[in-house]
Structure formats: C-alpha cells, structure tokens
Amino acid sequence: MSISATNVRFDQDTMWVSLSDGRTLGVPLAWVPRLMTASAEDLARVEISAHGLHWDTLDEDISIPALLAGRGGHTEIAAE
C-alpha cells in the first residue's frame, strides 16, 4: 500500500500533513526554507498528488516518502 497525503495545513512553525493511513505528520517549516518564508496565500496553493506535495508558485516539491524518512525539501535559501 502506497501512503499518500490527503490534506495539508499550516500553523506558524509547522506544516501538518494528513496521510492516507490515518497518521498526521508535523513537519517543521525550518526543514523547507521556501515554505518558511512563503505567504499564507502561497502555502494554500499546494497541489496534492499520489507522489507528494507541489507548490507551483514557490517551485517546491516534497515527496511523502522523503517526509516519512525525516527529510524536508531540497531547496535552500541563499545567505545574504
């Protein structure tokens, strides 16, 4: 059985991902710098697919297997 996301919501510091097996993952936004600095409107534009989460306006993709393995996004914000 492949586990997929069914819902995504955010609070100030965390992305909460509901999974098809009934679990909910709390992912620190610090793991995904593009999400940490995004507006609420951009965060709400998440697309949920069988493969993971995608934000077209933020150019961010997160796979559910990566989250289950304890890895966040693959992007970094350059130091100023």
Side-chain angles (χ1 to χ4, degrees), residues 15 19 21 38 42 48 58 62 64 74:
M15 173 175 64
L19 301 175
D21 67 358
D42 282 336
I48 300 173
L58 300 173
I62 301 173
I64 298 307
H74 298 285

Side-chain angles (χ1 to χ4, degrees), residues 1 7 14 17 19 25 37-40 49 52 61 63 70 77 79:
M1 177 175 112
N7 187 50
T14 307
V17 182
L19 301 175
L25 296 177
T37 59
S39 70
S49 74
D61 294 286
S63 76
I77 302 244

Side-chain angles (χ1 to χ4, degrees), residues 15-62:
M15 173 175 64
W16 299 95
V17 182
S18 300
L19 301 175
S20 58
D21 67 358
R23 290 182 286 174
T24 300
L25 296 177
V27 180
L29 291 179
W31 285 12
V32 192
R34 285 187 181 161
L35 299 186
M36 192 168 69
T37 59
S39 70
E41 293 80 19
D42 282 336
L43 292 175
R45 291 188 181 109
V46 62
E47 298 171 26
I48 300 173
S49 74
H51 303 289
L53 310 173
H54 173 72
W55 290 263
D56 193 49
T57 57
L58 300 173
D59 191 29
E60 184 65 66
D61 294 286
I62 301 173

